[in-house]
């Protein structure tokens, strides 16, 4: 088998297989930290990180923004004579990119890989045609589908929502898309299926029956779950939280909100969360907060790896670059037990003025290196045990005696209050340092020790 896949035409000529060259390398097209076969805590970096390329950003977004037209040249678009042919070429370009980069996974929306037809059945036929081609390329290269999803937000019919649309007819269209997208995911042995409710929210409460819309969303999710499970989908269903954009308010606001929604509708056993760093920021949270919240609630699943710009405040979808951030993220992920069906999907796009073909490679290389370095630092933190030991020691008063009885639920408020005299006497009670600065310094040390 060739080192990488090339279809009828090479779409990234002059760029070969990206190699690991180590931290001292000054080759922009080489990994400095991501050494796929290197073992970290018993697993290879490849197994830990499970990198995926996002089809929509990498082969679909052409640099268009509200102020200007496309800046990115997509040869796979311009050398085709029909929309379907353009998608076939795009698929070749995508597999060439995945294999040259050495990413083991990819993710797509139905409309990223196949053009919408004039009717739901024509759309389904288009998708099935492209799925068959993708299956061949997966088999030839070993690249796998991390998750599939349906685009229920771009078409004008979804301007008032998909599953939460006030017009029932729109829900039928959304159902046709989700059914076909789940079929596609099953056919490609996808490890997950994502629901990101882009327009499942409201622009104004003045025109919205919030309770009814949430009921509809829950019913739609339950139907989708039932369809997937009875048709052989063995992977994980994920909900991807985001607080806003494009809607003013999105119902899947953040991890805690999604968890509450799932419990309220009895869906908590069937869905996990796909946590996106930039969405966490938009919700006013740290990425680490969302990861740890999901782990604590037992619904951690997968990650959309990107970042925002702290000065901008919208979903800029930039590639991750801060090793401090990736260290804290990998620490949370490792402590949650690591990925099973999930992975790190780069839901990130190169900037409008990044117009060289190499930019797409360099962006992914940087993101993969940032997470590889973060993994090394996080494993060092775990092996060293200082941080976990410090946290454990903070709670030792609950490990035995009355504290343990409280935790076990064997105490009422009067009994707890009665202990105030014997346990509450010291003037220093509760005034033990949290040592935040020391711990922050410790993290800096771990990050700088990476090699
Ligand atoms: C949008 C977003 C989506 C989902 C998949 O902010 O993150 O691309 O990841 O629909
Ligand atoms: Co995303």
């Amino acid at each position: 088998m060739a080192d990488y896949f090339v279809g009828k035409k090479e779409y990234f000529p002059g760029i070969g297989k990206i190699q690991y060259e180590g931290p001292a390398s000054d080759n922009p097209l080489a990994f400095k930290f991501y050494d796929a076969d290197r073992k970290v805590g018993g697993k290879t970096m490849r197994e830990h990180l499970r990198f995926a390329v996002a089809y929509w950003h990498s082969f679909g977004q052409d640099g268009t923004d509200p102020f200007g037209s496309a800046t990115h040249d997509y040869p796979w678009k311009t050398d085709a004579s029909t929309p379907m042919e353009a998608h076939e070429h795009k698929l070749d370009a995508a597999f060439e990119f995945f294999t040259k980069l050495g990413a083991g996974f990819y993710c797509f929306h139905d409309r990223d890989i196949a053009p919408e037809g004039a009717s739901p059945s024509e759309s389904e036929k288009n998708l099935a045609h492209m799925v068959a081609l993708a299956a061949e390329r997966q088999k030839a290269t070993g690249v796998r589908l991390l998750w599939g999803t349906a685009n229920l937000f771009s078409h004008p019919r979804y301007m008032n929502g998909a599953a939460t649309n006030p017009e029932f007819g729109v829900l039928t269209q959304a159902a046709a898309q989700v059914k076909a997208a789940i079929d596609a995911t099953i056919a490609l042995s996808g490890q997950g299926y994502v629901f990101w409710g882009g327009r499942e929210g409201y622009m104004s409460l003045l025109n919205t029956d919030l309770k009814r819309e949430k009921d509809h969303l829950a019913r739609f999710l339950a139907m989708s779950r039932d369809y997937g499970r009875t048709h052989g989908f063995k992977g994980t269903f994920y909900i991807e939280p985001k607080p806003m954009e494009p809607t003013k308010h999105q119902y899947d606001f953040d991890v805690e909100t999604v968890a509450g929604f799932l419990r309220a509708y009895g869906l908590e056993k069937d869905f996990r969360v796909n946590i996106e760093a930039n969405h966490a920021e938009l919700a006013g949270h740290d990425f680490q907060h969302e990861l740890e919240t999901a782990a604590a609630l037992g619904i951690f699943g997968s990650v959309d790896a990107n970042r925002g710009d702290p000065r901008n405040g919208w979903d800029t979808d930039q590639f991750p670059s801060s090793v401090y951030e990736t260290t804290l993220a990998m620490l949370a992920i490792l402590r949650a037990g690591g990925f099973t069906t999930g992975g790190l999907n780069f839901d990130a796009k190169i900037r409008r003025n990044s117009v060289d073909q190499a930019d797409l490679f360099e962006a992914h290389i940087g993101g993969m290196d940032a997470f590889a370095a973060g993994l090394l630092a996080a494993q060092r933190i775990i092996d060293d045990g200082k941080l976990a030991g410090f946290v454990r020691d903070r709670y030792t008063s609950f490990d035995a005696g009355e504290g343990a009885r409280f935790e076990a639920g064997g105490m009422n408020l009067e009994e707890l209050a009665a202990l105030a005299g014997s346990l509450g006497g010291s003037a220093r009670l509760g005034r033990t340092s949290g040592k935040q600065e020391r711990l922050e310094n410790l993290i800096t040390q771990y990050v700088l020790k990476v090699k």
Side-chain angles (χ1 to χ4, degrees):
M1 199 182 290
D3 227 9
Y4 46 81
F5 172 90
V6 177
K8 286 201 197 89
K9 172 173 168 186
E10 188 164 16
Y11 282 105
F12 300 94
I15 299 177
K17 175 102 183 154
I18 306 299
Q19 309 287 349
Y20 169 74
E21 290 185 6
S25 167
D26 57 9
N27 175 3
L29 286 171
F31 294 117
K32 319 295 180 303
F33 296 99
Y34 181 59
D35 184 3
D37 294 318
R38 175 170 171 185
K39 283 242 166 121
V40 182
K43 280 205 281 188
T44 63
M45 282 191 163
R46 183 190 287 107
E47 289 163 339
H48 271 294
L49 299 166
R50 294 167 60 89
F51 290 123
V53 175
Y55 213 95
W56 52 102
H57 284 312
S58 294
F59 316 106
Q61 73 91 19
D62 53 14
T64 306
D65 75 9
F67 301 93
S69 53
T71 54
H72 298 164
D73 294 327
Y74 281 148
W76 49 89
K77 251 187 182 172
T78 46
D79 67 356
S81 46
T82 63
M84 186 62 98
E85 205 190 342
H87 280 84
E88 290 171 3
H89 293 187
K90 193 192 204 185
L91 188 73
D92 280 345
F95 274 81
E96 184 187 326
F97 182 78
F98 305 151
T99 50
K100 284 184 169 177
L101 182 67
F105 295 93
Y106 69 113
C107 301
F108 64 69
H109 300 84
D110 51 355
R111 301 294 186 249
D112 302 330
I113 68 160
E116 173 151 3
S119 64
S121 64
E122 198 180 303
S123 298
E124 205 170 321
K125 230 174 74 212
N126 291 351
L127 186 59
H129 170 79
M130 290 304 303
V131 163
L133 296 182
E136 280 172 18
R137 282 151 187 72
Q138 285 188 192
K139 200 158 164 239
T141 62
V143 172
R144 291 179 285 167
L145 179 66
L146 189 68
W147 49 259
T149 187
N151 179 330
L152 303 180
F153 44 89
S154 293
H155 194 282
R157 75 169 73 90
Y158 298 125
M159 69 179 192
N160 289 312
T164 61
N165 198 292
E167 283 176 61
F168 177 63
V170 176
L171 275 73
T172 66
Q173 298 288 314
Q177 263 188 261
V178 169
K179 180 178 155 300
I182 291 177
D183 287 344
T185 304
I186 295 169
L188 293 170
S189 309
Q191 310 215 346
Y193 185 89
V194 163
F195 292 89
W196 171 63
R199 296 189 195 272
E200 312 295 23
Y202 58 80
M203 299 305 287
S204 167
L205 278 174
L206 295 176
N207 59 17
T208 303
D209 186 335
L210 181 141
K211 162 91 170 67
R212 211 164 173 185
E213 290 198 1
K214 291 217 257 187
D215 288 351
H216 294 175
L217 180 58
R219 192 166 298 276
F220 190 90
L221 289 171
M223 292 163 101
S224 305
R225 169 208 58 198
D226 292 344
Y227 178 80
R229 292 304 179 215
T230 51
H231 287 77
F233 177 63
K234 301 219 163 37
T236 309
F237 286 115
Y238 304 106
I239 292 184
E240 182 176 325
K242 187 176 182 181
M244 66 194 85
E245 197 208 9
T247 51
K248 166 193 157 61
H249 175 90
Q250 201 170 303
Y251 295 133
D252 301 326
F253 196 91
D254 61 3
V255 169
E256 198 82 54
T257 309
V258 168
F261 172 87
L262 292 174
R263 276 197 300 268
Y265 290 97
L267 297 168
E268 67 274 19
K269 287 196 181 61
D270 304 303
F271 293 83
R272 288 171 169 257
V273 279
N274 180 40
I275 299 170
E276 178 163 324
N278 206 161
H279 295 179
E281 280 179 71
L282 289 181
H285 300 309
D286 291 330
F287 184 26
Q288 185 195 8
H289 166 92
E290 288 292 79
L291 294 167
E292 297 219 358
T293 301
L297 293 163
I299 55 171
F300 170 69
S302 201
V303 164
D304 271 7
N306 62 8
R307 72 179 156 101
D309 181 309
R311 242 63 65 195
N312 280 165
W314 69 84
D315 202 11
T316 61
D317 283 343
Q318 287 167 251
F319 279 82
S321 61
S322 159
V323 178
Y324 197 93
E325 295 286 321
T326 57
T327 298
L328 297 179
M330 285 314 302
L331 186 60
I333 292 167
L334 291 178
R335 289 203 296 219
F339 292 118
T340 49
T341 54
L344 290 165
N345 168 47
F346 289 112
D347 193 353
K349 59 180 177 232
I350 48 175
R351 300 302 87 189
R352 175 175 157 78
N353 56 350
S354 299
V355 294
D356 296 343
Q357 285 210 313
D359 293 334
L360 189 62
F361 281 90
E362 289 179 38
H364 283 85
I365 291 168
M368 290 160 86
D369 271 340
F371 268 95
L375 168 65
L376 291 169
Q379 186 64 44
R380 199 184 282 272
I381 293 170
I382 288 172
D383 291 345
D384 194 68
K386 269 201 202 100
L387 190 70
F390 179 83
V391 175
R392 212 171 32 246
D393 289 350
R394 272 189 107 196
Y395 298 88
T396 47
S397 58
F398 291 92
D399 289 347
E402 301 293 4
R405 199 155 72 82
F406 162 84
E407 263 197 3
M411 194 181 276
N412 63 28
L413 189 67
E414 284 151 297
E415 289 172 287
L416 184 61
L419 294 169
S422 56
L423 295 179
S426 153
R428 294 295 305 166
L429 181 73
R431 299 180 65 186
T432 312
S433 175
K435 292 283 176 211
Q436 182 173 330
E437 295 78 8
R438 181 187 289 180
L439 298 175
E440 285 170 353
N441 298 349
L442 197 61
I443 300 294
T444 305
Q445 267 186 306
Y446 291 118
V447 169
L448 292 176
K449 270 188 211 157
V450 166
K451 44 177 183 313

